[in-house]
Amino acid sequence: MYRKKAVFIALLFLNIRLIAQNQLTLSGKQIRVEWNKSANGWVLSKLGFFKDDRWVDLQHPSGEYTLLYDEQKPPSQPDTVFKDINGKAWPDTLYHYQIARWKQATSPVDLNTAGKAYYFYPSSATQTNNSIIFTSETPVATITTIWRIDENYSGDIIVQQKLQCKQNGYYSLASPSVITVDAKDITWATMPGYFQGRAFEKNGVLSYGYGQGIPALPFVYRERCAGSLCPIISTKQNISFCVAPQPGLARDPWEYDKNTHSNWFVGLSHMNRKAMLSPTVYYPVLGEPHSQLSANDTIGYTFRYSFSNKEWYNLLTHIVNDVYDFNKTLALRHNKQSLVSRVEHMHEYVKDQKTSLWNIEEYKGLKIGGQSYLGGVVGSNKDAIKNSDYGAMWMLAHTTNDRFLLDSVLPYALNFKLAQQADTGFFKGAAIGQYYLANSKHFTEEWGEFVEPISLTYYIMLDMGNILLFEPDNTALKEKLRLGADLLLKWQKPDGSWEVAYDKFTHEPMFTDLKDLRPTFYGLLVAYRILKDKKYLDAAVKGANWYASNGVDKGCFIGVCGDARYAPDFATGQTAQAYMDLFDITKNNQYKEAAIKAARIYLNSIYTHPVANEKDKIVNGFPGKDWQISQSGLSFEHGGILGSANGAGPIMLCSHAGMFVRMFELTKDSLFIEMTRAAAIGRYAFVDSATSVASYYWATMNKGAGPYPHHAWWQIGWITDYLLSEAQMRSNDNIVFPRGFVTPKVGPHESYGFAPGKIYGHSAMLINRTGLITCDNPDVEYIVAKGTDNKSLFLILMNDTGEPTTADISINEDMLKKEIPFADKAVSDLISKSKENFSNSKQVTLKPYGLRVFQLQ
């Protein structure tokens, strides 16, 4: 009996030892990973996530490795033809910008068909106290992989891979497929900057080209248009997970003294090579720098898997802030010139007809005024003129009370607007083109002879609406607005949508391969606010409902730039503000939720890499620091496969800044305010010192307005919206000024200055008087308002930085006396409710991102 028992115990211990030898485990507070030894090698057999006080096994664990190899450099010529939903080869030959980008984006490397794929599991493994080391052998290389749980973030697994070559050739090592996801189990997927969606879109033009839905092919995406380097998938198990390369692995867009934006070091995908949903990093990229190796060469990299039981955007915030230190880099940002100083200087710029390229032309008996536009317009011979931000134009003219603007600019800009509207025929009420060609004396669109409903919203409804906020008694203009509103009603389909465009001559719909996934409905909201006719609100609601269910909820959008063939762009950010404005009127929470959803999607259009730092850089022969020219914090004009960000990088036009502040106030999601401040503060490296006008594209650095002088108005507009939104948020809504309508085209910033606001209970109008206030600290902004009783002046001061600061504030008493009968040097601090003594100047202390508000009586 004792002998049998001894044999049983021996066999039991032997079995336990065999199990131990054939099973390995990494375990932390939130992640538990198990591998089993099989005939194929070490297979990841179980991945557990701790949530709701229990361990949940995630579906379809894998752990399969992939290595790509080619003896020769892969071809760069595309070998696949894509067609739109109408069966037409894509892209159209008219769109030369997109032809070049599409050609590059459909090469075998981009399509993930290049080279030979080796699939394998590790053949040996060694466990230490807190990590497991796997070794894999393939015919062309030996791969060593170290897995460990992140000590600081319990939902993260850090993986280091090293490849040692056995022969010459081109190599690309993929991150292992930790788990795969069935299509039926997915709730959301995104490759930030490229696509997002909750379901597969089989048409490659829509999914790959326009980012509408999840691509069905395992495309490999480039860093240059990735907002954040972390493909994310969310599942019906209420788990979100992603993979992210270590900071510093991807390309630096400006390597010391030259533009290296288009270098491709890291490939990113939502799928593995087998087209199974599993976020994947490729390093190096096959055929790209670092991928050509010789026998015995070694190369390695580090990445992480991150798991969360929250929504995808929470995981995005984790990668952006905890891994890429985005929020910490705000400490680097300081100004050489305050934003309000820029507005004051741009005021002089837009008045100078030479610098602003202001023209007055004769058109059908009207003198119309506009600024030269030297960018691409079909049919232009450098004779195109346009105006940009009518809300900013009327706002600046009225807040400054500038007689030149009021008498010599606005009347001709208004005539331009009147001439722009068709008064007969099929297009009666529409904008017949955003550009006027002076030589041929006709209006045209950017990229062809057609008319868009969104252009009617932009260049009739928004522009006229913003003017009417300042000129509410202009009955003739109201009738012009009504013409536009009625045409929008007429063009609206029974389901609430619109066509993308109509041919100017045949009146047939154009771009029928696309849906009008843009905030076209907003034009009817403008009509309702100005004309007070409920039929316009009803139609706006109908359009908004269609757009929410067909666009926002699915993550599907198109843009508003004709030269980019409507690649998704800043209209996505504009969508968020459009829904917020609709919510403000209807109080229907579904529109607030649509606004938040669109704004969170727009977070993906903001660069969060590489990590801004203090490294020395040289730009056009001048020394500076990396953070001064960093892309991190800046947004696309349009990104993805088709957009300008592929070559030019992000833009300086931060129209989303005010909207993001409002979203932070609404959601308390800190990424909104962090991204806002990263975009707005410390960007002087891109500002032309002579004019204070920022460059448009990152790639042009500090060359100023260049061919886009009208951008100064948009810059005045977004800066004002941003500063007033910060003031409202910091004051807990004790500083509130009525907002007008969003600007056409470039984003969601809105106009001000047409009606009194409230400053801690006092009624006041915004004013802008250059020289009235002088501040010696460029990190301190000031806003001035005048009491509607003409007896008070209000001075709002804000610290742009996250550290305490002081500023010497001087008030020009001669200018002050022209505004109010100022006698008392004791000034009221409206926050502390104390008295401060102001003589000619006063040193003021401000807390980090602090606010001070003074009343001069």
Side-chain angles (χ1 to χ4, degrees):
M1 177 178 177
Y2 291 109
R3 188 175 180 182
K4 288 182 179 179
K5 186 174 182 180
V7 170
F8 172 76
I9 292 172
L11 289 172
L12 178 64
F13 275 106
L14 178 62
N15 189 44
I16 291 172
R17 186 178 178 187
L18 288 172
I19 291 173
Q21 288 177 340
N22 290 287
Q23 186 179 82
L24 295 171
T25 302
L26 272 182
S27 188
K29 293 180 180 179
Q30 203 164 23
I31 289 286
R32 184 169 61 199
V33 193
E34 294 182 6
W35 287 265
N36 284 338
K37 182 70 178 291
S38 72
N40 295 323
W42 285 94
V43 176
L44 199 160
S45 56
K46 186 180 290 188
L47 197 156
F49 186 85
F50 192 78
K51 72 184 188 85
D52 301 327
D53 297 322
R54 64 188 181 92
W55 285 99
V56 176
D57 288 336
L58 304 189
Q59 297 176 0
H60 310 301
S62 171
E64 185 176 55
Y65 289 65
T66 302
L67 172 65
L68 306 182
Y69 173 78
D70 203 326
E71 291 183 355
Q72 306 295 324
K73 184 174 182 178
S76 59
Q77 292 298 314
D79 56 11
T80 303
V81 175
F82 287 81
K83 296 182 178 181
D84 66 24
I85 60 170
N86 296 328
K88 184 179 178 181
W90 205 92
D92 190 298
T93 55
L94 178 64
Y95 294 90
H96 54 262
Y97 298 136
Q98 281 62 53
I99 290 172
R101 290 170 191 152
W102 190 253
K103 181 179 179 180
Q104 187 179 56
T106 53
S107 76
V109 173
D110 295 76
L111 300 187
N112 210 352
T113 59
K116 179 178 180 179
Y118 292 92
Y119 303 106
F120 55 93
Y121 294 93
S123 54
S124 63
T126 304
Q127 184 153 22
T128 66
N129 289 334
N130 59 0
S131 65
I132 298 176
I133 304 170
F134 294 102
T135 302
S136 310
E137 296 291 344
T138 73
V140 296
T142 300
I143 295 93
T144 304
T145 310
I146 304 173
W147 296 62
R148 63 183 175 87
I149 305 294
D150 191 322
E151 296 176 355
N152 298 312
Y153 303 106
S154 58
D156 288 15
I157 306 168
I158 297 176
V159 180
Q160 296 170 271
Q161 293 205 111
K162 185 177 77 172
L163 179 147
Q164 183 168 12
C165 305
K166 295 181 179 179
Q167 59 191 58
N168 300 346
Y170 291 83
Y171 292 81
S172 181
L173 182 59
S175 56
S177 300
V178 60
I179 63 172
T180 61
V181 181
D182 285 344
K184 62 181 176 58
D185 295 326
I186 199 165
T187 59
W188 194 258
T190 183
M191 177 56 244
Y194 284 99
F195 78 84
Q196 62 280 318
R198 60 178 69 258
F200 277 100
E201 170 55 62
K202 293 182 180 179
N203 183 268
V205 173
L206 290 179
S207 63
Y208 190 44
Y210 286 92
Q212 296 182 12
I214 305 168
L217 296 176
F219 300 113
V220 181
Y221 294 94
R222 300 167 185 254
E223 314 105 304
R224 68 188 187 192
C225 282
S228 298
L229 301 175
C230 53
I232 304 172
I233 291 177
S234 299
T235 74
K236 289 181 180 177
Q237 285 188 289
N238 294 319
I239 295 293
S240 296
F241 72 106
C242 74
V243 63
Q246 68 178 0
L249 189 68
R251 63 94 179 95
D252 181 339
W254 193 275
E255 288 184 1
Y256 187 57
D257 62 352
K258 61 182 181 295
N259 185 336
T260 49
H261 171 69
S262 291
N263 282 356
W264 193 10
F265 292 174
V266 172
L268 302 154
S269 186
H270 59 302
M271 289 178 162
N272 61 25
R273 172 82 166 212
K274 293 181 176 179
M276 303 170 75
L277 281 168
S278 187
T280 303
V281 169
Y282 292 88
Y283 182 82
V285 177
L286 204 65
E288 296 295 324
H290 311 309
S291 70
Q292 185 178 14
L293 300 170
S294 301
N296 297 319
D297 282 351
T298 60
I299 192 167
Y301 73 106
T302 302
F303 61 91
R304 72 177 56 223
Y305 303 106
S306 188
F307 294 83
S308 172
N309 60 346
K310 297 180 180 179
E311 295 287 344
W312 66 268
Y313 53 83
N314 299 108
L315 198 55
L316 176 76
T317 301
H318 163 57
I319 296 298
V320 167
N321 278 340
D322 298 332
V323 179
Y324 278 78
D325 290 337
F326 184 84
N327 53 353
K328 297 181 180 67
T329 63
L330 288 176
L332 297 171
R333 301 216 155 272
H334 291 275
N335 294 322
K336 282 189 175 179
Q337 182 185 18
S338 67
L339 292 170
V340 72
S341 173
R342 281 188 56 202
V343 171
E344 291 175 347
H345 283 78
M346 284 190 286
H347 174 202
E348 297 305 314
Y349 169 83
V350 296
K351 288 170 59 177
D352 188 326
Q353 298 181 44
K354 291 182 179 179
T355 57
S356 66
L357 303 184
W358 176 253
N359 306 274
I360 295 179
E361 299 286 344
E362 191 85 22
Y363 178 76
K364 294 185 178 180
L366 275 180
K367 289 186 180 298
I368 64 173
Q371 291 172 272
S372 294
Y373 179 86
L374 303 178
V377 177
V378 170
S380 170
N381 187 24
K382 304 299 182 183
D383 62 327
I385 66 172
K386 72 168 291 180
N387 293 306
S388 56
D389 193 335
Y390 273 73
M393 294 174 78
W394 260 252
M395 174 179 69
L396 186 69
H398 285 80
T399 57
T400 59
N401 196 29
D402 187 309
R403 294 318 310 176
F404 176 78
L405 292 178
L406 291 167
D407 299 336
S408 302
V409 174
L410 299 195
Y412 302 106
L414 176 57
N415 284 348
F416 185 99
K417 192 55 48 186
L418 298 174
Q420 197 175 20
Q421 187 180 38
D423 53 12
T424 59
F426 180 81
F427 296 111
K428 183 179 180 180
I432 52 176
Q434 60 178 301
Y435 300 91
Y436 177 70
L437 302 182
N439 292 344
S440 55
K441 295 191 179 299
H442 81 285
F443 285 87
T444 187
E445 268 307 326
E446 195 165 25
W447 221 248
E449 295 287 358
F450 50 81
V451 175
E452 304 169 73
I454 191 71
S455 292
L456 168 51
T457 284
Y458 282 170
Y459 306 114
I460 300 301
M461 307 308 296
L462 293 182
D463 285 342
M464 290 185 179
N466 272 320
I467 294 170
L468 284 164
L469 292 174
F470 291 89
E471 301 180 19
D473 298 327
N474 191 331
T475 55
L477 192 60
K478 281 185 179 179
E479 291 310 306
K480 291 285 189 178
L481 185 79
R482 192 183 303 277
L483 272 181
D486 289 343
L487 185 58
L488 270 181
L489 283 178
K490 182 180 178 181
W491 279 350
Q492 190 175 35
K493 298 180 183 181
D495 63 1
S497 68
W498 284 269
E499 294 288 355
V500 173
Y502 295 97
D503 187 286
K504 189 177 280 189
F505 305 107
T506 68
H507 304 164
E508 291 297 315
M510 295 180 64
F511 307 103
T512 56
D513 57 310
L514 300 174
K515 293 180 180 179
D516 188 47
L517 299 168
R518 304 180 286 195
T520 307
F521 74 86
Y522 191 80
L524 292 165
L525 192 65
V526 174
Y528 174 71
R529 275 185 62 179
I530 297 294
L531 302 174
K532 313 300 182 187
D533 191 328
K534 192 173 181 296
K535 69 179 181 182
Y536 299 127
L537 178 59
D538 292 341
V541 165
K542 186 178 180 181
N545 290 344
W546 178 88
Y547 184 26
S549 59
N550 289 273
V552 177
D553 290 348
K554 296 179 179 179
C556 296
F557 306 91
I558 65 171
V560 294
C561 294
D563 59 343
R565 205 184 184 274
Y566 309 118
D569 58 20
F570 25 48
T572 303
Q574 196 176 61
T575 294
Q577 190 60 58
Y579 278 107
M580 276 306 298
D581 288 357
L582 183 58
F583 167 74
D584 288 342
I585 290 174
T586 65
K587 305 306 177 186
N588 187 328
N589 279 328
Q590 78 178 78
Y591 303 128
K592 180 170 70 174
E593 292 307 310
I596 294 171
K597 190 175 294 184
R600 283 184 166 142
I601 289 172
Y602 197 64
L603 291 171
N604 289 331
S605 294
I606 314 298
Y607 282 99
T608 60
H609 66 96
V611 180
N613 57 68
E614 291 268 20
K615 289 181 181 177
D616 291 330
K617 296 289 175 80
I618 301 291
V619 178
N620 298 330
F622 294 96
K625 298 294 184 181
D626 173 86
W627 67 265
Q628 295 167 346
I629 61 168
S630 173
Q631 292 184 348
S632 183
L634 298 175
S635 61
F636 304 141
E637 178 185 39
H638 18 70
I641 296 300
L642 304 175
S644 62
N646 283 277
I651 58 174
M652 300 303 122
L653 195 57
C654 309
S655 179
H656 63 279
M659 182 270 287
F660 269 16
V661 175
R662 293 186 281 276
M663 280 295 157
F664 169 67
E665 192 172 15
L666 179 66
T667 66
K668 308 308 177 188
D669 185 342
S670 64
L671 194 55
F672 283 119
I673 195 67
E674 290 155 0
M675 284 187 167
T676 297
R677 290 168 176 167
I681 307 306
R683 294 293 179 178
Y684 53 84
F686 301 95
V687 176
D688 175 34
S689 59
T691 64
S692 294
V693 181
S695 299
Y696 184 46
Y697 294 114
W698 171 88
T700 61
M701 293 294 160
N702 65 340
K703 291 185 178 179
Y708 314 112
H710 59 286
H711 280 214
W713 288 112
W714 275 322
Q715 292 175 33
I716 290 167
W718 82 254
I719 289 172
T720 303
D721 186 29
Y722 164 63
L723 293 177
L724 288 170
S725 298
E726 280 271 16
Q728 180 171 340
M729 182 269 293
R730 296 187 196 189
S731 69
N732 295 315
D733 293 337
N734 281 300
I735 300 173
V736 179
F737 284 88
R739 299 192 313 273
F741 305 117
V742 299
T743 191
K745 195 170 187 175
V746 300
H749 72 260
E750 298 185 305
S751 59
Y752 296 81
F754 54 87
K758 290 287 185 179
I759 301 178
Y760 288 87
H762 301 276
S763 178
M765 289 290 292
L766 289 170
I767 65 169
N768 185 330
R769 306 285 190 268
T770 300
L772 173 61
I773 304 297
T774 304
C775 174
D776 74 333
N777 186 342
D779 285 330
V780 174
E781 309 289 352
Y782 52 88
I783 301 168
V784 182
K786 185 176 178 179
T788 52
D789 61 2
N790 291 319
K791 295 181 180 179
S792 296
L793 206 71
F794 299 90
L795 176 60
I796 301 164
L797 302 176
M798 292 187 294
N799 180 1
D800 281 336
T801 73
E803 56 193 46
T805 194
T806 60
D808 286 330
I809 305 297
S810 300
I811 301 175
N812 186 315
E813 291 197 17
D814 291 336
M815 294 182 68
L816 178 62
K817 290 174 182 177
K818 294 179 181 178
E819 302 295 336
I820 61 171
F822 179 67
D824 188 358
K825 296 293 178 70
V827 174
S828 300
D829 183 327
L830 295 184
I831 297 178
S832 67
K833 297 181 180 179
S834 61
K835 292 284 187 178
E836 298 273 351
N837 185 47
F838 264 73
S839 53
N840 289 332
S841 65
K842 167 74 177 178
Q843 187 176 79
V844 176
T845 301
L846 291 111
K847 296 178 181 179
Y849 297 116
L851 172 77
R852 301 289 298 274
V853 184
F854 299 100
Q855 181 184 19
L856 289 73
Q857 293 179 305

